[in-house]
Amino acid sequence: MDVLIVSELMTGMLAIIGTGLLFMLATSRAPKALHDEIALRVERSIAAIHACEDRHTR
């Protein structure tokens, strides 16, 4: 059985830690806050589309 060299071990550990931190960051937000943020962005997008349509029809 091959023994991992220090650089391979450190790379693996950093990958695991990084993945864990990203997962914790993604799951730490409250679902309601995330839903509200998405809804706000959708509303802004719809308003921008309507503004463009109004500009083209005039």
Side-chain angles (χ1 to χ4, degrees):
M1 176 190 254
D2 293 353
V3 177
L4 292 177
I5 58 175
V6 174
S7 63
E8 291 173 339
L9 183 61
M10 293 302 290
T11 301
M13 293 292 284
L14 287 174
I16 291 170
I17 291 170
T19 302
L21 287 173
L22 287 174
F23 180 75
M24 287 177 54
L25 180 67
T27 58
S28 66
R29 296 184 79 178
K32 173 121 176 64
L34 183 59
H35 179 268
D36 291 346
E37 184 176 335
I38 292 170
L40 180 62
R41 289 185 184 194
V42 168
E43 288 176 9
R44 287 181 182 164
S45 297
I46 291 171
I49 290 169
H50 287 301
C52 289
E53 287 176 352
D54 290 343
R55 203 174 347 196
H56 289 298
T57 57
R58 289 183 186 177

mmCIF file of all heavy atoms in Angstrom:
data_model
loop_
_atom_site.group_PDB
_atom_site.id
_atom_site.type_symbol
_atom_site.label_atom_id
_atom_site.label_comp_id
_atom_site.label_asym_id
_atom_site.label_seq_id
_atom_site.Cartn_x
_atom_site.Cartn_y
_atom_site.Cartn_z
ATOM 1 N N MET A 1 0.842 -1.174 0.000
ATOM 2 C CA MET A 1 0.000 0.000 0.000
ATOM 3 C C MET A 1 0.886 1.236 0.000
ATOM 4 O O MET A 1 1.799 1.339 0.794
ATOM 5 C CB MET A 1 -0.907 -0.026 1.225
ATOM 6 C CG MET A 1 -1.749 1.209 1.359
ATOM 7 S SD MET A 1 -2.577 1.276 2.943
ATOM 8 C CE MET A 1 -4.206 0.880 2.440
ATOM 9 N N ASP A 2 0.570 2.141 -0.915
ATOM 10 C CA ASP A 2 1.351 3.371 -0.998
ATOM 11 C C ASP A 2 0.989 4.307 0.146
ATOM 12 O O ASP A 2 -0.162 4.398 0.554
ATOM 13 C CB ASP A 2 1.112 4.079 -2.313
ATOM 14 C CG ASP A 2 1.653 3.304 -3.500
ATOM 15 O OD1 ASP A 2 2.323 2.279 -3.281
ATOM 16 O OD2 ASP A 2 1.410 3.734 -4.625
ATOM 17 N N VAL A 3 1.975 5.006 0.614
ATOM 18 C CA VAL A 3 1.748 5.993 1.670
ATOM 19 C C VAL A 3 1.603 7.359 1.002
ATOM 20 O O VAL A 3 2.369 7.709 0.110
ATOM 21 C CB VAL A 3 2.931 5.998 2.658
ATOM 22 C CG1 VAL A 3 2.741 7.068 3.706
ATOM 23 C CG2 VAL A 3 3.098 4.630 3.296
ATOM 24 N N LEU A 4 0.599 8.106 1.432
ATOM 25 C CA LEU A 4 0.395 9.439 0.864
ATOM 26 C C LEU A 4 1.533 10.356 1.268
ATOM 27 O O LEU A 4 1.981 10.336 2.418
ATOM 28 C CB LEU A 4 -0.919 10.045 1.357
ATOM 29 C CG LEU A 4 -2.209 9.393 0.890
ATOM 30 C CD1 LEU A 4 -3.398 10.071 1.541
ATOM 31 C CD2 LEU A 4 -2.328 9.461 -0.610
ATOM 32 N N ILE A 5 1.988 11.138 0.326
ATOM 33 C CA ILE A 5 3.009 12.112 0.685
ATOM 34 C C ILE A 5 2.318 13.315 1.325
ATOM 35 O O ILE A 5 1.098 13.477 1.229
ATOM 36 C CB ILE A 5 3.857 12.529 -0.538
ATOM 37 C CG1 ILE A 5 2.987 13.113 -1.640
ATOM 38 C CG2 ILE A 5 4.640 11.350 -1.068
ATOM 39 C CD1 ILE A 5 3.777 13.649 -2.817
ATOM 40 N N VAL A 6 3.070 14.141 1.975
ATOM 41 C CA VAL A 6 2.510 15.239 2.760
ATOM 42 C C VAL A 6 1.689 16.187 1.875
ATOM 43 O O VAL A 6 0.608 16.632 2.269
ATOM 44 C CB VAL A 6 3.641 16.008 3.487
ATOM 45 C CG1 VAL A 6 3.098 17.237 4.186
ATOM 46 C CG2 VAL A 6 4.336 15.105 4.476
ATOM 47 N N SER A 7 2.165 16.487 0.678
ATOM 48 C CA SER A 7 1.419 17.418 -0.179
ATOM 49 C C SER A 7 0.074 16.831 -0.595
ATOM 50 O O SER A 7 -0.928 17.555 -0.658
ATOM 51 C CB SER A 7 2.242 17.792 -1.407
ATOM 52 O OG SER A 7 2.505 16.657 -2.196
ATOM 53 N N GLU A 8 0.005 15.542 -0.877
ATOM 54 C CA GLU A 8 -1.265 14.906 -1.230
ATOM 55 C C GLU A 8 -2.219 14.910 -0.041
ATOM 56 O O GLU A 8 -3.417 15.152 -0.193
ATOM 57 C CB GLU A 8 -1.040 13.483 -1.710
ATOM 58 C CG GLU A 8 -0.342 13.390 -3.047
ATOM 59 C CD GLU A 8 0.003 11.957 -3.405
ATOM 60 O OE1 GLU A 8 0.066 11.100 -2.496
ATOM 61 O OE2 GLU A 8 0.200 11.688 -4.604
ATOM 62 N N LEU A 9 -1.684 14.648 1.130
ATOM 63 C CA LEU A 9 -2.498 14.647 2.341
ATOM 64 C C LEU A 9 -3.047 16.045 2.618
ATOM 65 O O LEU A 9 -4.239 16.202 2.918
ATOM 66 C CB LEU A 9 -1.673 14.160 3.529
ATOM 67 C CG LEU A 9 -2.400 14.045 4.860
ATOM 68 C CD1 LEU A 9 -3.546 13.052 4.750
ATOM 69 C CD2 LEU A 9 -1.434 13.626 5.949
ATOM 70 N N MET A 10 -2.206 17.057 2.498
ATOM 71 C CA MET A 10 -2.645 18.434 2.742
ATOM 72 C C MET A 10 -3.684 18.872 1.697
ATOM 73 O O MET A 10 -4.663 19.532 2.031
ATOM 74 C CB MET A 10 -1.448 19.390 2.732
ATOM 75 C CG MET A 10 -0.486 19.171 3.893
ATOM 76 S SD MET A 10 -1.279 19.329 5.495
ATOM 77 C CE MET A 10 -1.587 21.067 5.519
ATOM 78 N N THR A 11 -3.475 18.492 0.448
ATOM 79 C CA THR A 11 -4.431 18.833 -0.608
ATOM 80 C C THR A 11 -5.786 18.190 -0.328
ATOM 81 O O THR A 11 -6.834 18.827 -0.469
ATOM 82 C CB THR A 11 -3.901 18.377 -1.975
ATOM 83 O OG1 THR A 11 -2.646 19.006 -2.220
ATOM 84 C CG2 THR A 11 -4.869 18.724 -3.083
ATOM 85 N N GLY A 12 -5.780 16.953 0.064
ATOM 86 C CA GLY A 12 -7.022 16.262 0.400
ATOM 87 C C GLY A 12 -7.732 16.889 1.581
ATOM 88 O O GLY A 12 -8.950 17.073 1.561
ATOM 89 N N MET A 13 -6.965 17.226 2.605
ATOM 90 C CA MET A 13 -7.556 17.850 3.792
ATOM 91 C C MET A 13 -8.149 19.219 3.449
ATOM 92 O O MET A 13 -9.245 19.546 3.892
ATOM 93 C CB MET A 13 -6.503 18.000 4.894
ATOM 94 C CG MET A 13 -6.016 16.681 5.453
ATOM 95 S SD MET A 13 -7.293 15.828 6.375
ATOM 96 C CE MET A 13 -7.272 16.792 7.861
ATOM 97 N N LEU A 14 -7.441 20.017 2.656
ATOM 98 C CA LEU A 14 -7.952 21.328 2.267
ATOM 99 C C LEU A 14 -9.217 21.195 1.408
ATOM 100 O O LEU A 14 -10.148 21.987 1.546
ATOM 101 C CB LEU A 14 -6.884 22.118 1.518
ATOM 102 C CG LEU A 14 -5.740 22.657 2.377
ATOM 103 C CD1 LEU A 14 -4.679 23.294 1.495
ATOM 104 C CD2 LEU A 14 -6.257 23.652 3.403
ATOM 105 N N ALA A 15 -9.246 20.192 0.542
ATOM 106 C CA ALA A 15 -10.435 19.968 -0.282
ATOM 107 C C ALA A 15 -11.633 19.603 0.590
ATOM 108 O O ALA A 15 -12.743 20.101 0.381
ATOM 109 C CB ALA A 15 -10.171 18.880 -1.312
ATOM 110 N N ILE A 16 -11.420 18.759 1.557
ATOM 111 C CA ILE A 16 -12.511 18.351 2.455
ATOM 112 C C ILE A 16 -12.989 19.531 3.291
ATOM 113 O O ILE A 16 -14.192 19.761 3.434
ATOM 114 C CB ILE A 16 -12.060 17.181 3.354
ATOM 115 C CG1 ILE A 16 -11.879 15.917 2.509
ATOM 116 C CG2 ILE A 16 -13.049 16.941 4.485
ATOM 117 C CD1 ILE A 16 -11.219 14.777 3.238
ATOM 118 N N ILE A 17 -12.053 20.299 3.823
ATOM 119 C CA ILE A 17 -12.416 21.465 4.637
ATOM 120 C C ILE A 17 -13.146 22.504 3.783
ATOM 121 O O ILE A 17 -14.159 23.061 4.195
ATOM 122 C CB ILE A 17 -11.164 22.067 5.305
ATOM 123 C CG1 ILE A 17 -10.635 21.101 6.367
ATOM 124 C CG2 ILE A 17 -11.462 23.430 5.911
ATOM 125 C CD1 ILE A 17 -9.281 21.476 6.924
ATOM 126 N N GLY A 18 -12.637 22.760 2.582
ATOM 127 C CA GLY A 18 -13.283 23.728 1.692
ATOM 128 C C GLY A 18 -14.685 23.316 1.310
ATOM 129 O O GLY A 18 -15.609 24.139 1.309
ATOM 130 N N THR A 19 -14.868 22.051 1.001
ATOM 131 C CA THR A 19 -16.196 21.550 0.653
ATOM 132 C C THR A 19 -17.140 21.674 1.845
ATOM 133 O O THR A 19 -18.296 22.075 1.689
ATOM 134 C CB THR A 19 -16.107 20.083 0.198
ATOM 135 O OG1 THR A 19 -15.204 20.007 -0.917
ATOM 136 C CG2 THR A 19 -17.459 19.542 -0.205
ATOM 137 N N GLY A 20 -16.648 21.353 3.012
ATOM 138 C CA GLY A 20 -17.466 21.473 4.222
ATOM 139 C C GLY A 20 -17.873 22.908 4.497
ATOM 140 O O GLY A 20 -19.028 23.184 4.846
ATOM 141 N N LEU A 21 -16.940 23.841 4.328
ATOM 142 C CA LEU A 21 -17.258 25.255 4.549
ATOM 143 C C LEU A 21 -18.289 25.765 3.536
ATOM 144 O O LEU A 21 -19.215 26.495 3.901
ATOM 145 C CB LEU A 21 -15.986 26.099 4.460
ATOM 146 C CG LEU A 21 -15.026 25.978 5.647
ATOM 147 C CD1 LEU A 21 -13.738 26.737 5.361
ATOM 148 C CD2 LEU A 21 -15.684 26.499 6.914
ATOM 149 N N LEU A 22 -18.134 25.379 2.278
ATOM 150 C CA LEU A 22 -19.110 25.791 1.271
ATOM 151 C C LEU A 22 -20.490 25.210 1.567
ATOM 152 O O LEU A 22 -21.508 25.882 1.411
ATOM 153 C CB LEU A 22 -18.647 25.369 -0.122
ATOM 154 C CG LEU A 22 -17.496 26.181 -0.705
ATOM 155 C CD1 LEU A 22 -17.037 25.566 -2.025
ATOM 156 C CD2 LEU A 22 -17.900 27.617 -0.904
ATOM 157 N N PHE A 23 -20.524 23.960 1.997
ATOM 158 C CA PHE A 23 -21.801 23.327 2.337
ATOM 159 C C PHE A 23 -22.457 24.040 3.514
ATOM 160 O O PHE A 23 -23.657 24.314 3.502
ATOM 161 C CB PHE A 23 -21.574 21.846 2.662
ATOM 162 C CG PHE A 23 -22.832 21.119 3.010
ATOM 163 C CD1 PHE A 23 -23.740 20.772 2.028
ATOM 164 C CD2 PHE A 23 -23.120 20.788 4.326
ATOM 165 C CE1 PHE A 23 -24.915 20.111 2.347
ATOM 166 C CE2 PHE A 23 -24.287 20.132 4.652
ATOM 167 C CZ PHE A 23 -25.193 19.791 3.662
ATOM 168 N N MET A 24 -21.665 24.361 4.533
ATOM 169 C CA MET A 24 -22.210 25.057 5.702
ATOM 170 C C MET A 24 -22.705 26.452 5.325
ATOM 171 O O MET A 24 -23.745 26.899 5.810
ATOM 172 C CB MET A 24 -21.157 25.151 6.802
ATOM 173 C CG MET A 24 -20.899 23.836 7.498
ATOM 174 S SD MET A 24 -19.598 23.920 8.731
ATOM 175 C CE MET A 24 -20.127 25.262 9.753
ATOM 176 N N LEU A 25 -21.982 27.131 4.457
ATOM 177 C CA LEU A 25 -22.392 28.458 4.021
ATOM 178 C C LEU A 25 -23.705 28.395 3.251
ATOM 179 O O LEU A 25 -24.596 29.225 3.448
ATOM 180 C CB LEU A 25 -21.305 29.080 3.149
ATOM 181 C CG LEU A 25 -21.561 30.473 2.614
ATOM 182 C CD1 LEU A 25 -21.591 31.472 3.767
ATOM 183 C CD2 LEU A 25 -20.488 30.851 1.627
ATOM 184 N N ALA A 26 -23.838 27.400 2.389
ATOM 185 C CA ALA A 26 -25.051 27.261 1.578
ATOM 186 C C ALA A 26 -26.260 26.888 2.425
ATOM 187 O O ALA A 26 -27.383 27.310 2.142
ATOM 188 C CB ALA A 26 -24.834 26.217 0.489
ATOM 189 N N THR A 27 -26.064 26.114 3.457
ATOM 190 C CA THR A 27 -27.197 25.650 4.259
ATOM 191 C C THR A 27 -27.479 26.534 5.465
ATOM 192 O O THR A 27 -28.496 26.359 6.123
ATOM 193 C CB THR A 27 -26.969 24.215 4.749
ATOM 194 O OG1 THR A 27 -25.764 24.160 5.523
ATOM 195 C CG2 THR A 27 -26.882 23.256 3.585
ATOM 196 N N SER A 28 -26.614 27.501 5.751
ATOM 197 C CA SER A 28 -26.800 28.308 6.952
ATOM 198 C C SER A 28 -27.825 29.419 6.760
ATOM 199 O O SER A 28 -28.340 29.951 7.736
ATOM 200 C CB SER A 28 -25.475 28.923 7.391
ATOM 201 O OG SER A 28 -25.025 29.858 6.435
ATOM 202 N N ARG A 29 -28.124 29.773 5.512
ATOM 203 C CA ARG A 29 -29.098 30.833 5.278
ATOM 204 C C ARG A 29 -30.500 30.313 5.551
ATOM 205 O O ARG A 29 -30.834 29.189 5.218
ATOM 206 C CB ARG A 29 -29.016 31.320 3.838
ATOM 207 C CG ARG A 29 -27.681 31.946 3.530
ATOM 208 C CD ARG A 29 -27.662 32.493 2.167
ATOM 209 N NE ARG A 29 -28.363 33.773 2.175
ATOM 210 C CZ ARG A 29 -28.487 34.543 1.117
ATOM 211 N NH1 ARG A 29 -27.982 34.151 -0.027
ATOM 212 N NH2 ARG A 29 -29.116 35.681 1.190
ATOM 213 N N ALA A 30 -31.294 31.164 6.137
ATOM 214 C CA ALA A 30 -32.681 30.793 6.405
ATOM 215 C C ALA A 30 -33.428 30.662 5.080
ATOM 216 O O ALA A 30 -33.263 31.496 4.193
ATOM 217 C CB ALA A 30 -33.340 31.846 7.278
ATOM 218 N N PRO A 31 -34.241 29.637 4.915
ATOM 219 C CA PRO A 31 -34.962 29.451 3.656
ATOM 220 C C PRO A 31 -35.847 30.645 3.303
ATOM 221 O O PRO A 31 -35.965 31.023 2.157
ATOM 222 C CB PRO A 31 -35.802 28.205 3.896
ATOM 223 C CG PRO A 31 -35.123 27.475 4.989
ATOM 224 C CD PRO A 31 -34.466 28.531 5.837
ATOM 225 N N LYS A 32 -36.464 31.262 4.299
ATOM 226 C CA LYS A 32 -37.332 32.406 4.020
ATOM 227 C C LYS A 32 -36.530 33.567 3.460
ATOM 228 O O LYS A 32 -36.961 34.211 2.494
ATOM 229 C CB LYS A 32 -38.064 32.831 5.293
ATOM 230 C CG LYS A 32 -38.850 34.117 5.142
ATOM 231 C CD LYS A 32 -40.299 33.927 5.436
ATOM 232 C CE LYS A 32 -41.099 35.197 5.384
ATOM 233 N NZ LYS A 32 -41.191 35.851 4.137
ATOM 234 N N ALA A 33 -35.377 33.843 4.031
ATOM 235 C CA ALA A 33 -34.552 34.950 3.541
ATOM 236 C C ALA A 33 -34.108 34.687 2.104
ATOM 237 O O ALA A 33 -34.118 35.601 1.264
ATOM 238 C CB ALA A 33 -33.344 35.146 4.446
ATOM 239 N N LEU A 34 -33.734 33.464 1.825
ATOM 240 C CA LEU A 34 -33.325 33.109 0.466
ATOM 241 C C LEU A 34 -34.508 33.232 -0.498
ATOM 242 O O LEU A 34 -34.371 33.769 -1.598
ATOM 243 C CB LEU A 34 -32.762 31.690 0.440
ATOM 244 C CG LEU A 34 -32.218 31.206 -0.901
ATOM 245 C CD1 LEU A 34 -31.096 32.110 -1.379
ATOM 246 C CD2 LEU A 34 -31.722 29.776 -0.765
ATOM 247 N N HIS A 35 -35.677 32.769 -0.081
ATOM 248 C CA HIS A 35 -36.872 32.861 -0.907
ATOM 249 C C HIS A 35 -37.215 34.324 -1.183
ATOM 250 O O HIS A 35 -37.559 34.693 -2.308
ATOM 251 C CB HIS A 35 -38.043 32.161 -0.219
ATOM 252 C CG HIS A 35 -39.313 32.233 -0.998
ATOM 253 N ND1 HIS A 35 -40.230 33.230 -0.813
ATOM 254 C CD2 HIS A 35 -39.796 31.439 -1.975
ATOM 255 C CE1 HIS A 35 -41.235 33.058 -1.641
ATOM 256 N NE2 HIS A 35 -41.009 31.976 -2.355
ATOM 257 N N ASP A 36 -37.136 35.164 -0.162
ATOM 258 C CA ASP A 36 -37.432 36.584 -0.330
ATOM 259 C C ASP A 36 -36.452 37.250 -1.290
ATOM 260 O O ASP A 36 -36.846 38.087 -2.110
ATOM 261 C CB ASP A 36 -37.407 37.305 1.018
ATOM 262 C CG ASP A 36 -38.561 36.896 1.921
ATOM 263 O OD1 ASP A 36 -39.516 36.263 1.419
ATOM 264 O OD2 ASP A 36 -38.494 37.193 3.125
ATOM 265 N N GLU A 37 -35.191 36.889 -1.195
ATOM 266 C CA GLU A 37 -34.182 37.464 -2.084
ATOM 267 C C GLU A 37 -34.432 37.049 -3.537
ATOM 268 O O GLU A 37 -34.350 37.874 -4.451
ATOM 269 C CB GLU A 37 -32.788 37.018 -1.645
ATOM 270 C CG GLU A 37 -31.676 37.646 -2.451
ATOM 271 C CD GLU A 37 -30.303 37.263 -1.947
ATOM 272 O OE1 GLU A 37 -30.167 36.929 -0.757
ATOM 273 O OE2 GLU A 37 -29.376 37.301 -2.762
ATOM 274 N N ILE A 38 -34.762 35.779 -3.746
ATOM 275 C CA ILE A 38 -35.056 35.305 -5.104
ATOM 276 C C ILE A 38 -36.298 36.007 -5.639
ATOM 277 O O ILE A 38 -36.330 36.445 -6.793
ATOM 278 C CB ILE A 38 -35.233 33.770 -5.114
ATOM 279 C CG1 ILE A 38 -33.891 33.096 -4.823
ATOM 280 C CG2 ILE A 38 -35.793 33.294 -6.445
ATOM 281 C CD1 ILE A 38 -34.005 31.601 -4.580
ATOM 282 N N ALA A 39 -37.333 36.144 -4.813
ATOM 283 C CA ALA A 39 -38.563 36.810 -5.236
ATOM 284 C C ALA A 39 -38.287 38.265 -5.615
ATOM 285 O O ALA A 39 -38.827 38.767 -6.609
ATOM 286 C CB ALA A 39 -39.612 36.733 -4.133
ATOM 287 N N LEU A 40 -37.459 38.948 -4.852
ATOM 288 C CA LEU A 40 -37.123 40.339 -5.151
ATOM 289 C C LEU A 40 -36.389 40.447 -6.484
ATOM 290 O O LEU A 40 -36.684 41.332 -7.296
ATOM 291 C CB LEU A 40 -36.265 40.927 -4.025
ATOM 292 C CG LEU A 40 -35.835 42.376 -4.190
ATOM 293 C CD1 LEU A 40 -37.051 43.294 -4.231
ATOM 294 C CD2 LEU A 40 -34.889 42.781 -3.078
ATOM 295 N N ARG A 41 -35.465 39.545 -6.734
ATOM 296 C CA ARG A 41 -34.738 39.567 -8.008
ATOM 297 C C ARG A 41 -35.659 39.282 -9.184
ATOM 298 O O ARG A 41 -35.528 39.878 -10.245
ATOM 299 C CB ARG A 41 -33.588 38.569 -7.973
ATOM 300 C CG ARG A 41 -32.470 39.020 -7.071
ATOM 301 C CD ARG A 41 -31.301 38.092 -7.125
ATOM 302 N NE ARG A 41 -30.290 38.513 -6.169
ATOM 303 C CZ ARG A 41 -29.056 38.066 -6.165
ATOM 304 N NH1 ARG A 41 -28.680 37.173 -7.061
ATOM 305 N NH2 ARG A 41 -28.192 38.491 -5.271
ATOM 306 N N VAL A 42 -36.605 38.371 -9.003
ATOM 307 C CA VAL A 42 -37.567 38.069 -10.071
ATOM 308 C C VAL A 42 -38.432 39.294 -10.350
ATOM 309 O O VAL A 42 -38.676 39.650 -11.508
ATOM 310 C CB VAL A 42 -38.435 36.839 -9.709
ATOM 311 C CG1 VAL A 42 -39.602 36.693 -10.647
ATOM 312 C CG2 VAL A 42 -37.580 35.584 -9.706
ATOM 313 N N GLU A 43 -38.885 39.958 -9.285
ATOM 314 C CA GLU A 43 -39.695 41.165 -9.469
ATOM 315 C C GLU A 43 -38.916 42.233 -10.221
ATOM 316 O O GLU A 43 -39.460 42.898 -11.109
ATOM 317 C CB GLU A 43 -40.140 41.707 -8.112
ATOM 318 C CG GLU A 43 -41.202 40.877 -7.437
ATOM 319 C CD GLU A 43 -41.545 41.399 -6.050
ATOM 320 O OE1 GLU A 43 -41.089 42.498 -5.677
ATOM 321 O OE2 GLU A 43 -42.273 40.700 -5.326
ATOM 322 N N ARG A 44 -37.654 42.423 -9.872
ATOM 323 C CA ARG A 44 -36.830 43.421 -10.567
ATOM 324 C C ARG A 44 -36.635 43.046 -12.033
ATOM 325 O O ARG A 44 -36.661 43.919 -12.909
ATOM 326 C CB ARG A 44 -35.476 43.552 -9.879
ATOM 327 C CG ARG A 44 -35.539 44.271 -8.559
ATOM 328 C CD ARG A 44 -34.174 44.386 -7.938
ATOM 329 N NE ARG A 44 -34.234 45.044 -6.644
ATOM 330 C CZ ARG A 44 -33.267 45.002 -5.759
ATOM 331 N NH1 ARG A 44 -32.140 44.352 -6.024
ATOM 332 N NH2 ARG A 44 -33.392 45.624 -4.601
ATOM 333 N N SER A 45 -36.449 41.763 -12.306
ATOM 334 C CA SER A 45 -36.275 41.324 -13.688
ATOM 335 C C SER A 45 -37.536 41.569 -14.500
ATOM 336 O O SER A 45 -37.474 42.030 -15.641
ATOM 337 C CB SER A 45 -35.912 39.843 -13.733
ATOM 338 O OG SER A 45 -34.678 39.612 -13.086
ATOM 339 N N ILE A 46 -38.683 41.254 -13.922
ATOM 340 C CA ILE A 46 -39.955 41.469 -14.615
ATOM 341 C C ILE A 46 -40.158 42.961 -14.875
ATOM 342 O O ILE A 46 -40.585 43.357 -15.966
ATOM 343 C CB ILE A 46 -41.116 40.862 -13.810
ATOM 344 C CG1 ILE A 46 -41.008 39.337 -13.820
ATOM 345 C CG2 ILE A 46 -42.466 41.320 -14.359
ATOM 346 C CD1 ILE A 46 -41.971 38.648 -12.879
ATOM 347 N N ALA A 47 -39.840 43.795 -13.888
ATOM 348 C CA ALA A 47 -39.987 45.244 -14.070
ATOM 349 C C ALA A 47 -39.067 45.740 -15.183
ATOM 350 O O ALA A 47 -39.465 46.595 -15.991
ATOM 351 C CB ALA A 47 -39.687 45.966 -12.763
ATOM 352 N N ALA A 48 -37.855 45.218 -15.251
ATOM 353 C CA ALA A 48 -36.917 45.622 -16.303
ATOM 354 C C ALA A 48 -37.419 45.183 -17.676
ATOM 355 O O ALA A 48 -37.317 45.942 -18.652
ATOM 356 C CB ALA A 48 -35.538 45.031 -16.026
ATOM 357 N N ILE A 49 -37.989 43.995 -17.760
ATOM 358 C CA ILE A 49 -38.528 43.503 -19.033
ATOM 359 C C ILE A 49 -39.695 44.380 -19.476
ATOM 360 O O ILE A 49 -39.790 44.781 -20.642
ATOM 361 C CB ILE A 49 -38.961 42.024 -18.905
ATOM 362 C CG1 ILE A 49 -37.722 41.141 -18.767
ATOM 363 C CG2 ILE A 49 -39.804 41.600 -20.097
ATOM 364 C CD1 ILE A 49 -38.031 39.710 -18.385
ATOM 365 N N HIS A 50 -40.582 44.710 -18.539
ATOM 366 C CA HIS A 50 -41.714 45.564 -18.877
ATOM 367 C C HIS A 50 -41.250 46.951 -19.306
ATOM 368 O O HIS A 50 -41.829 47.551 -20.222
ATOM 369 C CB HIS A 50 -42.696 45.668 -17.710
ATOM 370 C CG HIS A 50 -43.489 44.439 -17.485
ATOM 371 N ND1 HIS A 50 -44.317 43.889 -18.438
ATOM 372 C CD2 HIS A 50 -43.593 43.623 -16.404
ATOM 373 C CE1 HIS A 50 -44.891 42.798 -17.968
ATOM 374 N NE2 HIS A 50 -44.461 42.612 -16.729
ATOM 375 N N ALA A 51 -40.227 47.477 -18.658
ATOM 376 C CA ALA A 51 -39.694 48.792 -19.032
ATOM 377 C C ALA A 51 -39.130 48.758 -20.450
ATOM 378 O O ALA A 51 -39.329 49.701 -21.229
ATOM 379 C CB ALA A 51 -38.620 49.225 -18.033
ATOM 380 N N CYS A 52 -38.464 47.677 -20.797
ATOM 381 C CA CYS A 52 -37.923 47.543 -22.158
ATOM 382 C C CYS A 52 -39.048 47.425 -23.184
ATOM 383 O O CYS A 52 -38.981 48.009 -24.264
ATOM 384 C CB CYS A 52 -36.999 46.336 -22.259
ATOM 385 S SG CYS A 52 -35.440 46.564 -21.404
ATOM 386 N N GLU A 53 -40.091 46.674 -22.834
ATOM 387 C CA GLU A 53 -41.228 46.518 -23.759
ATOM 388 C C GLU A 53 -41.925 47.851 -23.962
ATOM 389 O O GLU A 53 -42.317 48.193 -25.079
ATOM 390 C CB GLU A 53 -42.205 45.479 -23.204
ATOM 391 C CG GLU A 53 -41.705 44.065 -23.294
ATOM 392 C CD GLU A 53 -42.650 43.070 -22.647
ATOM 393 O OE1 GLU A 53 -43.629 43.483 -21.988
ATOM 394 O OE2 GLU A 53 -42.404 41.868 -22.789
ATOM 395 N N ASP A 54 -42.101 48.624 -22.880
ATOM 396 C CA ASP A 54 -42.756 49.932 -22.991
ATOM 397 C C ASP A 54 -41.939 50.873 -23.857
ATOM 398 O O ASP A 54 -42.489 51.654 -24.633
ATOM 399 C CB ASP A 54 -42.967 50.542 -21.607
ATOM 400 C CG ASP A 54 -44.020 49.805 -20.800
ATOM 401 O OD1 ASP A 54 -44.801 49.041 -21.407
ATOM 402 O OD2 ASP A 54 -44.045 49.979 -19.575
ATOM 403 N N ARG A 55 -40.640 50.802 -23.729
ATOM 404 C CA ARG A 55 -39.764 51.680 -24.505
ATOM 405 C C ARG A 55 -39.838 51.344 -25.990
ATOM 406 O O ARG A 55 -39.786 52.212 -26.841
ATOM 407 C CB ARG A 55 -38.328 51.535 -23.995
ATOM 408 C CG ARG A 55 -37.479 52.714 -24.302
ATOM 409 C CD ARG A 55 -36.131 52.600 -23.674
ATOM 410 N NE ARG A 55 -36.061 51.545 -22.671
ATOM 411 C CZ ARG A 55 -35.119 51.423 -21.776
ATOM 412 N NH1 ARG A 55 -34.143 52.281 -21.764
ATOM 413 N NH2 ARG A 55 -35.109 50.442 -20.902
ATOM 414 N N HIS A 56 -39.970 50.052 -26.327
ATOM 415 C CA HIS A 56 -40.022 49.631 -27.716
ATOM 416 C C HIS A 56 -41.379 49.914 -28.354
ATOM 417 O O HIS A 56 -41.479 50.100 -29.579
ATOM 418 C CB HIS A 56 -39.695 48.146 -27.866
ATOM 419 C CG HIS A 56 -38.259 47.835 -27.608
ATOM 420 N ND1 HIS A 56 -37.231 48.348 -28.371
ATOM 421 C CD2 HIS A 56 -37.650 47.076 -26.651
ATOM 422 C CE1 HIS A 56 -36.062 47.912 -27.919
ATOM 423 N NE2 HIS A 56 -36.300 47.144 -26.862
ATOM 424 N N THR A 57 -42.448 49.936 -27.577
ATOM 425 C CA THR A 57 -43.769 50.156 -28.148
ATOM 426 C C THR A 57 -44.066 51.633 -28.348
ATOM 427 O O THR A 57 -44.973 51.983 -29.078
ATOM 428 C CB THR A 57 -44.867 49.546 -27.251
ATOM 429 O OG1 THR A 57 -44.762 50.107 -25.937
ATOM 430 C CG2 THR A 57 -44.736 48.045 -27.192
ATOM 431 N N ARG A 58 -43.311 52.512 -27.715
ATOM 432 C CA ARG A 58 -43.563 53.960 -27.854
ATOM 433 C C ARG A 58 -42.933 54.520 -29.067
ATOM 434 O O ARG A 58 -42.124 54.257 -29.725
ATOM 435 C CB ARG A 58 -43.018 54.694 -26.631
ATOM 436 C CG ARG A 58 -43.865 54.399 -25.423
ATOM 437 C CD ARG A 58 -43.363 55.189 -24.253
ATOM 438 N NE ARG A 58 -44.114 54.787 -23.072
ATOM 439 C CZ ARG A 58 -43.873 55.259 -21.891
ATOM 440 N NH1 ARG A 58 -42.933 56.138 -21.695
ATOM 441 N NH2 ARG A 58 -44.570 54.876 -20.869
#
